[in-house]
């Protein structure tokens, strides 16, 4: 009789319920030693919930988790790490006031009682590790001063530092350049060769096909398919994920260049920690175009978006919008001028997680005569308006009063876009608009941005996803160290050249190489 194979990880008949909602429905999942296993599914399909049970954030309603054939009880992330399970979450688990290095060593016995010398040694060790994997960040800087991309790198290095044997990575390449992503894949392949079990969730199907050994697909709380990578293709995976055939890369028809809408002239902007984030910075955006800004996280993109949306002031220079000087450091002036903003971290600075859909949709329009009268909110009318927006943008929520933190990432993003697009902006600043979203939700967001362009509105698209920038942009700017180092039209765009410019290589250095 053939002996049943023993997997390093098995999840059997897993059910997870939140009240009357079943997030995971009788799931069987297994991963082998020495494999990279991709877990795919639309936002809300239940894959994050499944991984949260494995990492100790949630406990199953029923079912068993087995490690090397033995049942285990995982009651906390600490239990998971002690069992050799580490997870890089989509929503980061970092202490904002501690430095990057302190976050990584947090939990080590007496870690903050060993003196500054011990901490300096740890900082050097962590810097060496991060440099080795091409995931650099300032190890001695507080988390709140780091960009989203840098914070994600801290999470990845934290898992590598703790030497987990089962590593779960949720959208790990969403803020990396193509070169850095390939470096990460090399790291994963090395971990695989050492016999580690790697589970990766991503909406980038090309990456799944490039790096995974097996693929599992989830839909509506059920695990529907598991297959070897060689037995499938991108188009089939997309169909399995969303239940329909997903279109090819979006075709953006050319359009004549409109009048200048936004002109930024020689501005200086400083980051929270006093570093100059934008240095003598200039750009021009035209009516009815999508202008893509490509660059590695931490090169001034965050500060550019905050400056134009009124969150951050500039110190010198001039910004003109719709033929008028834009006031520095005024959110209200930016809103009234017709500027919408989709920030890089939707739950930190875009939405209030504890409030429902109605309140979140009202944040920018509650002063208008349509939403209030004599200082009193039009409650019934506002609720009906919110209901219409939720339906129009296909936001899946149990009801309008459900706290938005309980919605999937894709539905949170659609709610945020609903609010910003309903304002009928002249310009939308979209920062990583599809970060962490699956292929179906990504296609929906891209369509919304294309629709804005089709109505003659402008989009400033700031993204480290080079595929997204190349697909959507009419023109592409490359930013490095707070300056624009390259500009090209979409039809002239060259992936390798953009990647080199993102890495700080000049044309002369490229030719010399």
């Amino acid at each position: 009789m053939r002996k049943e194979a023993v997997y390093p990880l098995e999840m059997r008949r897993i059910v997870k319920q939140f009240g009357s909602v079943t997030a995971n429905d009788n799931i069987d999942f297994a991963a082998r030693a020495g494999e990279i296993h991709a877990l795919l599914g639309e936002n809300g399909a239940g894959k994050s919930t499944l991984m949260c049970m494995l990492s100790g954030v949630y406990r199953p309603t029923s079912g068993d988790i087995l490690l090397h054939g033995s049942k285990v009880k995982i009651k906390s992330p600490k239990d998971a790490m002690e069992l050799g399970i580490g997870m890089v979450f989509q929503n980061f688990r970092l202490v904002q006031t501690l430095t990057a290095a302190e976050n990584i060593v947090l939990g080590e016995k007496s870690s903050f009682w060993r003196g500054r010398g011990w901490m300096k040694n740890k900082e050097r060790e962590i810097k060496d590790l991060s440099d080795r994997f091409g995931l650099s960040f300032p190890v001695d800087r507080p988390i709140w001063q780091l960009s989203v991309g840098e914070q994600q790198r801290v999470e990845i290095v934290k898992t590598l530092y703790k030497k987990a044997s089962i590593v779960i990575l949720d959208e790990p390449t969403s803020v990396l350049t193509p070169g850095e992503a390939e470096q990460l894949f090399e790291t994963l392949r090395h971990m695989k060769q050492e016999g580690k079990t790697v589970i990766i969730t991503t909406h980038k199907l090309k990456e799944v096909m490039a790096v995974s050994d097996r693929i599992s697909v989830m839909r509506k709380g059920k695990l529907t398919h598991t297959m070897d990578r060689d037995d499938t293709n991108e188009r089939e995976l997309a169909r399995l994920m969303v239940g329909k055939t997903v279109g090819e890369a979006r075709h953006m028809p050319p359009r004549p260049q409109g009048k200048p809408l936004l002109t930024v002239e020689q501005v200086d902007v400083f980051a929270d920690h006093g570093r100059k984030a934008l240095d003598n910075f200039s750009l021009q955006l035209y009516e009815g175009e999508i202008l893509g800004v490509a660059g590695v996280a931490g090169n001034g993109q965050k500060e550019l978006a905050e400056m134009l949306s009124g969150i951050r002031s500039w110190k010198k220079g001039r910004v003109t919008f719709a033929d008028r000087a834009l006031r520095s450091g005024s959110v209200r002036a930016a809103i009234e001028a017709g500027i919408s903003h989709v920030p890089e971290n939707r739950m930190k600075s875009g939405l209030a997680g504890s409030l429902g859909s109605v309140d979140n949709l009202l944040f920018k329009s509650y002063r208008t005569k349509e939403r209030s009268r004599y200082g009193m909110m039009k409650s019934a009318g506002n609720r009906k308006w919110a209901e219409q927006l939720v339906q129009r943008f296909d936001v899946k929520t149990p009801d309008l009063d459900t706290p938005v933190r309980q919605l999937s990432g894709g539905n949170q993003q659609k709610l945020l876009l609903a609010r910003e697009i309903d304002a009928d902006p002249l310009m939308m600043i979209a920062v990583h608009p599809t970060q962490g979203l699956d292929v179906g939700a990504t296609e929906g967001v891209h369509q919304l941005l294309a629709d804005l362009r089709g109505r003659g509105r402008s989009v400033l698209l700031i993204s480290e996803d080079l595929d997204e920038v190349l697909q959507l942009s009419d023109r592409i700017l490359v930013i490095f160290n707070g300056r624009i180092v390259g500009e090209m039209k979409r039809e002239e765009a060259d992936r390798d050249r953009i990647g080199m410019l993102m890495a700080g290589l000049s044309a002369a250095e490229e030719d010399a190489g």
Side-chain angles (χ1 to χ4, degrees):
M1 183 176 177
R2 185 175 178 271
K3 187 177 179 180
E4 185 180 349
V6 175
Y7 292 94
L9 167 65
E10 284 186 89
M11 305 180 81
R12 295 179 179 173
R13 302 178 300 280
I14 296 291
V15 175
K16 181 60 182 176
Q17 293 178 313
F18 296 96
S20 60
V21 176
T22 301
N24 288 154
D25 187 1
N26 206 41
I27 288 177
D28 290 320
F29 175 79
R32 299 167 179 156
E35 82 164 351
I36 300 173
H37 196 128
L39 184 62
L40 301 179
E42 288 190 283
N43 291 97
K47 62 184 187 298
S48 293
T49 300
L50 186 67
M51 292 297 99
C52 280
M53 284 184 282
L54 182 57
S55 62
V57 176
Y58 298 146
R59 298 187 194 180
T61 303
S62 62
D64 298 312
I65 298 175
L66 290 81
L67 296 181
H68 304 287
S70 300
K71 292 182 183 179
V72 295
K73 296 291 184 183
I74 304 175
K75 300 178 181 179
S76 68
K78 182 180 178 183
D79 286 349
M81 186 54 70
E82 288 175 352
L83 290 166
I85 302 170
M87 181 168 178
V88 177
F89 291 89
Q90 181 177 333
N91 296 315
F92 309 135
R93 267 62 171 174
L94 297 170
V95 181
Q96 295 291 308
T97 54
L98 297 182
T99 67
E102 286 168 347
N103 268 275
I104 290 169
V105 302
L106 191 62
E108 289 191 19
K109 191 174 181 181
S110 304
S111 58
F112 295 106
W113 297 97
R114 299 187 184 181
R116 186 59 192 158
W118 180 85
M119 195 65 223
K120 279 291 184 186
N121 288 335
K122 286 294 179 182
E123 287 176 356
R124 282 192 290 271
E125 180 184 345
I126 290 164
K127 186 176 188 308
D128 289 344
L129 183 65
S130 63
D131 289 346
R132 174 184 164 196
F133 294 120
L135 299 166
S136 61
F137 51 85
V139 297
D140 57 350
R141 190 171 292 164
I143 291 297
W144 68 271
Q145 292 184 358
L146 303 186
S147 68
V148 169
E150 290 169 326
Q151 291 182 35
Q152 187 183 51
R153 292 173 212 166
V154 174
E155 287 279 28
I156 293 172
V157 171
K158 181 170 69 175
T159 304
L160 296 171
Y161 173 83
K162 294 185 177 179
K163 298 179 174 64
S165 61
I166 298 172
V167 182
I168 308 160
L169 300 107
D170 189 10
E171 304 288 353
T173 65
S174 57
V175 292
L176 303 180
T177 65
E180 288 172 326
E182 187 52 46
Q183 279 188 303
L184 177 62
F185 295 158
E186 285 301 316
T187 300
L188 299 185
R189 293 182 187 112
H190 181 66
M191 292 164 66
K192 165 186 163 180
Q193 290 169 0
E194 291 182 352
K196 293 183 184 289
T197 300
V198 180
I199 304 169
I200 178 171
T201 70
T202 178
H203 67 279
K204 298 181 180 180
L205 299 179
K206 289 181 181 177
E207 294 179 358
V208 170
M209 296 301 294
V211 77
S212 65
D213 299 297
R214 286 196 304 150
I215 303 162
S216 292
V217 181
M218 291 187 65
R219 284 197 68 220
K220 298 181 179 179
K222 296 178 181 287
L223 199 153
T224 60
H225 297 81
T226 296
M227 67 209 80
D228 291 340
R229 177 197 57 191
D230 294 339
D231 295 335
T232 188
N233 56 56
E234 292 176 37
R235 195 169 181 82
E236 174 68 7
L237 288 173
R239 185 188 66 77
L240 292 173
M241 286 173 62
V242 303
K244 62 181 181 180
T245 300
V246 178
E248 301 291 342
R250 182 174 307 282
H251 174 65
M252 301 288 283
R255 58 181 301 147
Q257 191 174 75
K259 298 187 301 181
L261 176 68
L262 168 72
T263 302
V264 179
E265 299 174 275
Q266 300 177 327
V267 302
D268 285 351
V269 176
F270 290 84
D272 295 322
H273 41 78
R275 174 181 60 85
K276 187 182 283 189
L278 296 178
D279 184 8
N280 204 38
F281 184 90
S282 300
L283 67 74
Q284 197 160 53
L285 170 69
Y286 297 94
E287 291 179 352
E289 80 164 345
I290 297 179
L291 178 63
V293 178
V296 181
N299 278 281
Q301 303 97 309
K302 174 175 177 283
E303 289 78 12
L304 172 61
E306 290 179 348
M307 175 195 75
L308 294 176
S309 59
I311 298 171
R312 189 177 297 270
S313 301
W314 61 85
K315 299 303 179 185
K316 77 173 187 67
R318 176 181 172 85
V319 179
T320 305
F321 183 79
D323 297 325
R324 293 185 179 182
L326 191 65
R327 195 192 322 163
S328 176
S330 172
V331 174
R332 189 169 180 180
I335 293 171
E336 290 175 350
I339 298 173
S340 282
H341 180 210
V342 177
E344 62 178 328
N345 190 325
R346 54 184 167 262
M347 291 309 297
K348 182 179 178 182
S349 44
L351 299 169
S354 61
L355 300 180
S357 297
V358 180
D359 289 332
N360 273 281
L361 289 170
L362 281 169
F363 279 164
K364 291 190 174 180
S365 60
Y366 68 91
R367 294 175 182 270
T368 64
K369 62 182 180 181
E370 290 82 11
R371 307 276 75 87
S372 63
R373 187 179 183 188
Y374 304 126
M376 300 292 291
M377 304 303 295
K378 298 179 179 179
S379 299
N382 291 343
R383 196 170 182 86
K384 185 176 180 182
W385 163 75
E387 225 166 56
Q388 291 169 346
L389 279 182
V390 163
Q391 291 175 3
R392 175 182 159 199
F393 288 86
D394 192 29
V395 180
K396 293 180 174 61
T397 176
D399 57 61
L400 294 177
D401 300 315
T402 299
V404 299
R405 65 165 175 260
Q406 295 181 15
L407 306 185
S408 69
N411 286 308
Q412 291 169 358
Q413 193 75 340
K414 284 191 283 188
L415 187 73
L416 178 55
L417 282 160
R419 183 184 72 207
E420 300 302 311
I421 291 174
D422 185 65
D424 194 23
L426 295 176
M427 176 181 76
M428 174 174 284
I429 306 164
V431 188
H432 314 321
T434 60
Q435 180 173 293
L437 303 190
D438 59 68
V439 65
T442 294
E443 187 176 65
V445 170
H446 286 178
Q447 184 61 55
L448 291 173
L449 297 180
D451 290 346
L452 277 174
R453 174 186 183 268
R455 301 205 319 264
R457 302 317 195 196
S458 302
V459 178
L460 183 66
L461 173 64
I462 299 174
S463 177
E464 284 108 20
D465 184 339
L466 198 46
D467 289 330
E468 183 169 69
V469 172
L470 288 168
Q471 184 183 148
L472 293 177
S473 305
D474 296 291
R475 284 189 301 130
I476 299 167
L477 305 178
V478 184
I479 190 170
F480 181 77
N481 275 351
R483 288 176 176 265
I484 298 300
V485 294
E487 177 179 348
M488 60 206 77
K489 295 179 180 178
R490 177 177 39 205
E491 56 269 23
E492 303 167 347
D494 177 86
R495 171 182 289 273
D496 292 337
R497 175 170 165 74
I498 293 174
M500 287 182 149
L501 290 169
M502 288 169 68
L505 295 176
S506 67
E509 289 172 311
E510 291 177 58
D511 294 339

